[in-house]
Amino acid sequence: MGKNGIGSSISYFFLGEYFSDALRTTITVVLPIILFFYLGNLEAAKGIGVGALLISLTDLPDNRLNKLKTALWSILVFFATTLVVSSVLDHVYLTAVVVIIAAFSFSMFAVYGQKLSLIGTMALIVCTFVMGLHPANPLYFSSYMLVGGVWYYMISLIQTLLRPYRSLHHAIFECLMSSAVFLNAKARNYDVAIPLDLQQKEAIKLHIKVNQKHELIRNLLLTDKYAMNPDNPKGQLLLERARLLIDLYEQLNAVHYDYALVRKTLATCPSLTLIASLIRLLAKELEQLGRHVRSAKAYKGEVATNIEYQQQRVLLLQEMERLNETQRKIVLKVLSNMNDIVRIIEMIRGNERVPEKEQQELSGTIAYPLFITGDRFSIKEHLTLKSPIFRFSLRLAICFLFGFLLIWQLEPSKYSYWLFLTLVIVARPKFSITWKRNLQRLKGSMGGVVIGLIMVYFVKSPAVLLSFSVVFLLGFYAFNRLNYTISVLFITPAVILTLGSYQGHFDHIVHDRIIFTLLGCVIAIFATYLFPVWDSQQLKAKMVEAAKASMNYLQVAIQNRTDRDENQSRMARKNANLSLSALSEAIDSASQEPVRKHIDFNGLYDVQAIIYRINAIITSIYLSINHKAEQADPMLVAQIVGNLSNEVLLKNDAVGIDAMDVNDDDHSTRQKLAYITALSFDFKRLSAGFWG
């Protein structure tokens, strides 16, 4: 990244949602603390400050109605938790029983979806803070926590009412920036000096990232009743932008699918360099568009009048005159795809709508609620050891039990609650995530301790130290959703400086911070072997789901455009992308598990790449305006379905298709299906070793 790129990233950060939210949250948390300390009410300062601090971590980007629901749930759960736990603190064994039950119960909140899962996790952190603060008057302290929660969400909701689409604009901005990175990666596929297998792995990682951005946009927009109201012009504009972003990604993904053939065919001419240059210029335009897309105003970008882009395009067209027929067809295909990308970019930047004629070609209206990723809300089906949520909840409760037994054997310390705090933060259902969280927390904590000690050594004024702790708190909030290690690096010195300034004994605070953090991490790691959730055991199921989703996508793509059901086709496209993302995440997770030495990861990566390429070719068929259903050879389609079908793989009774000319260059539906068939045979061969 050059100086301009670094400067742009820094400016995006300080002008973006993360830093502005961090600044607003820090002020909201610190302001009542300063006020009540000034008034001499230390109990109110601690209670309201801690209440606002903890409840702020349940406040994720969302629309108005969902954020209001989150606020109500968080405030009620936090108040009840604080009151119950603080009321039993004088009874050691009863406290242990209550907190252990809370560990299990709050972890089970995950049954009700991601938002309540986060509220449950933070409520458990509330338990640990209450144990550490040990308030003298439970009712008063619980009331202060309630006030802190109400105060924080009042500010947050006011901001949401004033700028209801702020988070959505930021999500679209991040999606465009991720798409630009993805497109830049596509440009490197035309560089013969870069191995294609490395590019495939990078493309799949970026594919997952872009799809995550799409999911966030869907959940922010499609669950917002106000934005989805047909009479709301701003909402309809954002809806159109979301649709165009998804269509844009499909065009990015459909940039010529057989790069080995492209490199081989165009190796002797400068066309590869010109194509790569044009793609990089489009990626640059996406970045420029991202800078302005958070505004509702139309943005007049540069693609249509960009001199460099037009010059490169003219050079490529001139080069085409010296190419043979085969080479010319490939270049025309790539140029056509880039023209479609330019068209979508100009529609996004000009706030344009899909033409009425094109809308009329769609069969029926889009049922947007179908595209919202739902959560299961049946508690009964999770009350079994087969449920990962139940297994994790039971495991965390046992961790808390072991933590209490361990603390009772150690010398009493007012900071022993850090052990439980560490357990809540680093213990995750999967081994890989728990291991990653442990490393992040240890690195962040150790680095934060060093920073804290340096500050204490050179700065002696408590007022200055407290001022620095506020700055560190700001850093914690700014990076909390971006990088957990850096956020811990900031919060650790903030805690050390704050507690040390009021209670003294910096050495004792640092000692306990290190010891109880280490103990919590060790317990969390060893506990993963208790009721474990192994992704390595889910690989077969993930492959089956990914292959099935690709088959469904293919069945939709080979239909006539006018016969497609818009809901069915878009859902098939979404499921194919998400199932591949789920397989990729499972492979990455399994690669960090103890049994990784017994898994053929090279074979898994090859299977992953094959499904990715199959989906890209299906997308090419899906987007082709020249495609007709009668062009889809039934024998090829049947062979593809047979090769990708789990049942056929187990029976091993597929029949091959002879004389497939997969190197044909006519870009017809038959040629694409022949290429998918060849890939599906590779899928069958490579995945056979994972069955049984």
Side-chain angles (χ1 to χ4, degrees):
M1 181 183 291
K3 292 183 178 180
N4 291 336
I6 295 173
S8 297
S9 298
I10 293 173
S11 64
Y12 292 156
F13 174 74
F14 283 106
L15 297 176
E17 185 182 42
Y18 297 118
F19 185 78
S20 60
D21 276 355
L23 185 60
R24 184 255 301 166
T25 302
T26 303
I27 294 173
T28 305
V29 170
V30 171
L31 193 60
I33 296 176
I34 296 175
L35 175 63
F36 283 98
F37 261 112
Y38 178 77
L39 296 176
N41 192 336
L42 303 185
E43 192 74 10
K46 286 193 297 183
I48 296 174
V50 170
L53 171 68
L54 297 182
I55 209 165
S56 67
L57 298 176
T58 66
D59 186 20
L60 297 180
D62 217 329
N63 57 58
R64 286 167 288 188
L65 182 59
N66 286 343
K67 185 162 285 196
L68 178 60
K69 292 178 181 177
T70 300
L72 294 175
W73 271 104
S74 300
I75 291 168
L76 291 174
V77 170
F78 277 32
F79 174 73
T81 300
T82 306
L83 184 60
V84 171
V85 175
S86 60
S87 298
V88 300
L89 286 177
D90 291 334
H91 309 280
V92 178
Y93 297 110
L94 182 58
T95 300
V97 171
V98 168
V99 174
I100 291 170
I101 292 174
F104 176 82
S105 303
F106 287 140
S107 298
M108 287 296 293
F109 273 29
V111 172
Y112 300 100
Q114 182 182 7
K115 294 185 182 70
L116 277 176
S117 175
L118 178 60
I119 293 173
T121 299
M122 292 310 305
L124 198 49
I125 291 178
V126 169
C127 292
T128 66
F129 267 78
V130 172
M131 286 191 295
L133 294 172
H134 204 108
N137 193 315
L139 183 59
Y140 278 13
F141 186 77
S142 301
S143 300
Y144 292 140
M145 288 279 286
L146 177 66
V147 171
V150 172
W151 158 251
Y152 172 81
Y153 263 113
M154 182 180 70
I155 300 299
S156 179
L157 289 170
I158 288 174
Q159 182 189 46
T160 306
L161 289 172
L162 294 175
R163 300 182 63 187
Y165 305 119
R166 176 171 169 272
S167 293
L168 186 53
H169 281 302
H170 185 77
I172 292 174
F173 157 75
E174 288 194 328
C175 188
L176 279 169
M177 301 304 286
S178 298
S179 298
V181 174
F182 183 76
L183 191 53
N184 266 319
K186 286 289 184 180
R188 289 191 288 274
N189 283 315
Y190 297 91
D191 186 347
V192 294
I194 301 177
L196 275 176
D197 56 341
L198 295 178
Q199 279 301 103
Q200 287 284 359
K201 289 182 179 180
E202 182 184 4
I204 292 172
K205 290 180 180 178
L206 295 172
H207 162 86
I208 294 172
K209 186 174 182 179
V210 176
N211 271 283
Q212 288 172 342
K213 303 301 181 185
H214 286 164
E215 274 295 279
L216 176 60
I217 291 172
R218 288 190 191 101
N219 289 324
L220 285 173
L221 178 60
L222 302 186
T223 61
D224 191 339
K225 295 180 180 179
Y226 300 102
M228 295 300 292
N229 188 333
D231 297 327
N232 184 340
K234 287 186 179 180
Q236 292 304 298
L237 169 62
L238 290 169
L239 178 61
E240 193 62 35
R241 278 184 177 177
R243 288 181 58 181
L244 288 171
L245 277 173
I246 295 172
D247 291 342
L248 171 66
Y249 174 69
E250 297 304 336
Q251 291 291 348
L252 301 184
N253 207 32
V255 172
H256 202 287
Y257 50 83
D258 190 354
Y259 295 107
L261 177 62
V262 173
R263 287 183 175 192
K264 180 180 178 181
T265 307
L266 301 177
T268 59
C269 55
S271 299
L272 284 176
T273 303
L274 291 171
I275 290 172
S277 177
L278 283 169
I279 293 175
R280 282 192 290 268
L281 287 171
L282 288 178
K284 183 179 179 181
E285 171 63 18
L286 281 178
E287 291 180 357
Q288 294 290 337
L289 181 61
R291 297 175 187 175
H292 298 83
V293 79
R294 283 176 284 189
S295 170
K297 299 179 181 179
Y299 159 58
K300 299 305 179 185
E302 299 180 351
V303 164
T305 57
N306 186 298
I307 297 176
E308 186 178 3
Y309 180 84
Q310 292 301 331
Q311 287 176 341
Q312 295 289 325
R313 192 172 185 277
V314 169
L315 288 175
L316 184 57
L317 290 173
Q318 291 174 347
E319 176 65 23
M320 282 179 58
E321 301 298 325
R322 294 184 285 272
L323 302 179
N324 59 41
E325 187 64 22
T326 300
Q327 293 172 327
R328 190 177 296 114
K329 285 182 178 180
I330 290 177
V331 174
L332 282 173
K333 177 68 176 176
V334 177
L335 272 174
S336 174
N337 183 240
M338 284 193 283
N339 289 337
D340 289 332
I341 293 173
V342 170
R343 178 180 61 85
I344 295 175
I345 289 175
E346 292 198 359
M347 291 180 70
I348 294 175
R349 74 183 187 189
N351 291 341
E352 296 178 25
R353 305 292 298 273
V354 174
E356 192 67 26
K357 180 180 178 181
E358 187 173 333
Q359 286 184 347
Q360 291 173 357
E361 292 176 356
L362 304 177
S363 55
T365 57
I366 300 177
Y368 290 107
L370 294 175
F371 298 90
I372 302 171
T373 303
D375 299 300
R376 294 184 177 181
F377 301 125
S378 176
I379 189 69
K380 291 183 180 180
E381 66 183 58
H382 288 280
L383 294 177
T384 170
L385 283 174
K386 294 181 180 179
S387 167
I389 296 175
F390 182 83
R391 294 165 75 89
F392 172 68
S393 301
L394 197 57
R395 184 201 310 162
L396 189 60
I398 294 173
C399 285
F400 267 65
L401 173 60
F402 184 80
F404 276 110
L405 294 175
L406 181 62
I407 284 175
W408 289 337
Q409 303 303 315
L410 300 175
E411 182 179 345
S413 170
K414 64 171 68 177
Y415 304 117
S416 58
Y417 71 95
W418 278 337
L419 185 150
F420 299 103
L421 181 62
T422 300
L423 281 174
V424 178
I425 293 173
V426 304
R428 301 289 96 187
K430 297 179 181 180
F431 176 89
S432 59
I433 303 177
T434 301
W435 181 257
K436 181 180 179 181
R437 274 289 174 124
N438 267 273
L439 294 178
Q440 290 174 329
R441 185 159 181 85
L442 287 173
K443 288 190 292 185
S445 295
M446 296 304 107
V449 165
V450 172
I451 293 173
L453 289 176
I454 292 174
M455 296 295 301
V456 170
Y457 181 80
F458 286 103
V459 180
K460 303 302 179 182
S461 169
V464 175
L465 289 176
L466 287 174
S467 299
F468 273 109
S469 70
V470 173
V471 175
F472 288 132
L473 181 63
L474 174 63
F476 164 72
Y477 278 122
F479 287 96
N480 188 44
R481 284 155 48 194
L482 290 172
N483 189 308
Y484 180 69
T485 303
I486 297 178
S487 69
V488 175
L489 186 69
F490 276 108
I491 196 63
T492 299
V495 170
I496 292 173
L497 297 183
T498 301
L499 294 178
S501 297
Y502 285 105
Q503 301 174 4
H505 307 292
F506 283 102
D507 55 341
H508 182 59
I509 294 171
V510 170
H511 171 271
D512 282 12
R513 177 75 176 186
I514 295 173
I515 293 299
F516 288 116
T517 296
L518 286 172
L519 286 175
C521 289
V522 170
I523 294 172
I525 284 293
F526 278 101
T528 55
Y529 294 91
L530 185 65
F531 309 119
V533 179
W534 302 118
D535 268 311
S536 54
Q537 297 177 358
Q538 303 296 320
L539 291 173
K540 174 183 173 181
K542 297 295 184 184
M543 272 193 282
V544 170
E545 291 171 7
K548 184 178 179 181
S550 296
M551 287 187 286
N552 292 337
Y553 188 21
L554 175 63
Q555 295 293 348
V556 167
I558 61 177
Q559 297 175 357
N560 286 321
R561 290 169 62 90
T562 54
D563 295 336
R564 292 173 187 161
D565 178 86
E566 189 69 7
N567 293 306
Q568 180 185 3
S569 59
R570 286 181 175 268
M571 183 62 73
R573 186 172 65 178
K574 174 191 172 185
N575 289 339
N577 288 331
L578 293 183
S579 62
L580 176 59
S581 297
L583 172 61
S584 303
E585 290 171 357
I587 292 173
D588 288 342
S589 181
S591 66
Q592 302 177 53
E593 293 178 357
V595 296
R596 60 185 177 274
K597 294 182 180 179
H598 305 289
I599 299 176
D600 178 17
F601 282 102
N602 288 330
L604 282 171
Y605 290 133
D606 288 339
V607 168
Q608 177 189 30
I610 287 170
I611 296 177
Y612 174 75
R613 292 172 70 186
I614 287 175
N615 287 347
I617 303 171
I618 295 173
T619 298
S620 180
I621 298 173
Y622 179 84
L623 295 175
S624 175
I625 59 175
N626 297 320
H627 167 73
K628 303 293 182 184
E630 56 268 20
Q631 297 172 349
D633 189 323
M635 293 185 66
L636 290 176
V637 174
Q639 185 63 71
I640 294 168
V641 172
N643 289 339
L644 295 179
S645 170
N646 186 28
E647 289 77 11
V648 174
L649 281 169
L650 292 173
K651 295 176 183 177
N652 197 28
D653 58 0
V655 178
I657 298 291
D658 295 328
M660 292 184 306
D661 188 9
V662 297
N663 291 320
D664 190 10
D665 61 353
D666 63 357
H667 305 293
S668 66
T669 296
R670 176 179 172 78
Q671 185 263 333
K672 294 172 183 176
L673 289 174
Y675 197 82
I676 295 175
T677 306
L679 289 172
S680 69
F681 272 114
D682 290 337
F683 173 85
K684 174 183 176 180
R685 175 177 55 82
L686 290 167
S687 60
F690 297 98
W691 313 119

